[in-house]
Structure formats: C-alpha cells, structure tokens
Amino acid sequence: MPLFYTQNINETTRLAVWHITEPEAFFNKIYIPRHEISHPHKRLQHLAGRFLLCLLDAAFPVNKIQLDGRRPYLPDNSYYFSISHCSDYAAAIVSRQFPVGIDVELVAEKLLRLEKKFLNEPEQLLIRRKKTNLTMVSQLTLLWSTKECMFKWYAKGNVDFRKDMAIKDYTLTGDAEGIASAHFGKEVDASCTTQFRFFDNLCLAWLAQPPH
Ligand SMILES: CC(C)(COP(=O)(O)OP(=O)(O)OC[C@H]1O[C@@H](n2cnc3c(N)ncnc32)[C@H](O)[C@@H]1OP(=O)(O)O)[C@@H](O)C(=O)NCCC(=O)NCCS
C-alpha cells in the first residue's frame, strides 16, 4: 500500500507519506527531474517526493520548482511546501497558508552517538528526566526530526542546531503521536509547536505555522 498516511491539517495544508515500492516509470508519469541524479535510489526518493506534492494538490506546479542550493522553492510563492525522504519512504507537506517543514527518519541507533552534536545541555537533561514510554533512541529520533522540520520551515539555512533551536518539551497525545514545543532563536524569537507521529520504526515530524 504505497500511500500509507495522509493528514489534513486545515483546508489548505495537507501532508502525506508514501512507501516507495514502484519503479521510476510510475513517478515519471508526473515528473521527470531536470537535473542529473546519478544514484538510482536517491533518484527514486526525489521522484516520490515530487509525486507526493502533486498528489496533495493536483494543481501543484511541480515543474516550476527552482533550487536555492538544495532547497526547493516556487518563484511565485504560490505554495509553501517541504519534502523529506529516507530509506523507502517519502513525505511531503503542502500549504497555501503557512510556511511548512517536514522530516521523516528511521529510528536508528546511530543517533545515540550523535546526541551531543544536535542537542544542547538542557535538551540532554530533558530527555533523561522525561517520563515517557518512548525508548531513548525513539526520543532522540523525535528530537532530531523535530529540529530538521524546523530547519526546513525557517528556510534560510545556516542554523546551529544546538544554539538556534531549543526543544522545551514533547508529549505523546496518543499511542504514537504527539506534539513538541520549541523555541527558534535565529534572527527572530519564534515559539514553534511541531507535531510528530511514529509508524513502527519510522518517525515523522512537521511544522506548519506563520512565518517568524
Ligand atoms: C539538507 C537537509 C535539510 C536535508 O537533507 P537530507 O538528509 O537529504 O534529508 P531529507 O530527506 O529529510 O530532505 C531532503 C529534502 O529536503 C529539501 N531540502 C534540501 N535542502 C533544504 C533546505 N536547505 N531547506 C529546506 N529544504 C531543503 C529537498 O526537498 C530535499 O529533497 P529533494 O532534493 O528530493 O527535493 C539537512 O540534511 C540539513 O542540511 N540539515 C541541517 C544540517 C545541520 O545543520 N546539522 C547540524 C546539526 S548536527
């Protein structure tokens, strides 16, 4: 079942996650990349992300996407959007209303070694004091994914994950979903409320809110 999760956040903001099981030709019906992507699996992920944008909104002008470095954008700003992929999964969020960011990550042990690179001291304390059913590696994945979606929401790049973002708390609101509250402090002071959801060993985080 390729499309395995969708959520309507409001009338003009939607997200979806796709499990990639199709060959490239399936996605090429919608979109053909304009730049060379030599690695076949990376090309497939890229195609699946663009495909999802069109699935979320049939009028999405996917062929008008430009790149600022690796960051995709539409010159006429007709939509806010964000894409993420990992392994055989792609996720996308589209909004007519709010800047957005999305991230999808596999829950992976490697984050146990990387914790200090992306969490500041208060966050390292928070994760140890937190009373939750989530494992340490799930919590780390959740916090990494949360910071990645905030990075994409901000869109201007050059963000220090330890200094410019501070996750204040995170709470499960259901069996596998929840919200995180955070502060984004580069150039601006913004309070962010991100959302997350686990699907087995996959973690999805997203943010859709007014600009900083
Ligand atoms: C580039 C980055 C945003 C995403 O890279 P990634 O590992 O390929 O992760 P994802 O699959 O989640 O995202 C890829 C998508 O993000 C989007 N993207 C790339 N650069 C972006 C940027 N600067 N801003 C917003 N979106 C971006 C693209 O849509 C890309 O997919 P596409 O090339 O198929 O269009 C991320 O890795 C990054 O640079 N993060 C900041 C790193 C950092 O500062 N770390 C310090 C703490 S240790």
Side-chain angles (χ1 to χ4, degrees):
M1 193 172 62
L3 179 67
F4 78 89
Y5 185 70
T6 55
Q7 183 170 332
N8 291 344
I9 294 161
N10 64 30
E11 274 177 21
T12 64
T13 310
R14 299 183 68 202
L15 69 80
V17 185
W18 189 272
H19 184 197
I20 306 168
T21 55
E22 302 75 11
E24 277 185 39
F26 174 85
F27 301 108
N28 284 147
K29 283 184 240 161
I30 300 284
Y31 172 77
I32 295 179
R34 278 162 294 155
H35 59 285
E36 169 80 18
I37 306 172
S38 53
H39 192 288
H41 194 67
K42 285 194 192 318
R43 198 163 59 238
L44 199 54
Q45 290 178 325
H46 175 80
L47 290 171
R50 298 300 198 265
F51 176 87
L52 272 180
L53 296 174
C54 301
L55 193 83
L56 286 165
D57 189 327
F60 192 95
V62 69
N63 287 308
K64 293 194 176 151
I65 291 177
Q66 301 287 316
L67 293 179
D68 172 15
R70 284 188 56 206
R71 183 180 73 84
Y73 70 98
L74 286 169
D76 66 0
N77 294 316
S78 50
Y79 290 84
Y80 296 106
F81 66 99
S82 178
I83 297 168
S84 181
H85 25 64
C86 71
S87 183
D88 291 334
Y89 296 92
I93 184 168
V94 168
S95 178
R96 287 268 195 185
Q97 199 175 356
F98 298 129
V100 290
I102 197 162
D103 189 63
V104 65
E105 299 285 341
L106 288 179
V107 175
E109 298 283 323
K110 69 171 185 198
L111 280 182
L112 293 168
R113 296 190 304 274
L114 299 175
E115 174 183 351
K116 290 185 178 153
K117 289 196 188 301
F118 69 96
L119 294 186
N120 54 45
E121 279 78 14
E123 292 166 333
Q124 292 171 36
L125 265 180
L126 173 68
I127 207 167
R128 280 167 182 79
R129 290 184 177 160
K130 190 80 191 162
K131 298 216 183 318
T132 173
N133 294 333
L134 295 170
T135 62
M136 178 59 105
V137 68
S138 291
Q139 290 178 80
L140 286 170
T141 309
L142 153 62
L143 297 190
W144 169 250
S145 214
T146 295
K147 289 196 170 188
E148 281 280 286
C149 82
M150 287 169 67
F151 173 85
K152 291 177 182 173
W153 166 82
Y154 174 64
K156 294 182 187 167
N158 200 21
V159 174
D160 184 320
F161 274 37
R162 284 170 48 94
K163 285 194 193 137
D164 299 330
M165 300 183 211
I167 295 174
K168 301 295 182 193
D169 201 4
Y170 48 98
T171 314
L172 281 169
T173 54
D175 285 347
E177 66 199 63
I179 55 172
S181 53
H183 176 253
F184 190 97
K186 182 164 173 104
E187 287 184 0
V188 288
D189 277 322
S191 292
C192 297
T193 303
T194 66
Q195 300 194 57
F196 64 86
R197 189 173 184 112
F198 287 95
F199 309 90
D200 296 326
N201 69 334
L202 200 66
C203 176
L204 177 73
W206 67 93
L207 173 59
Q209 70 176 48
H212 24 85

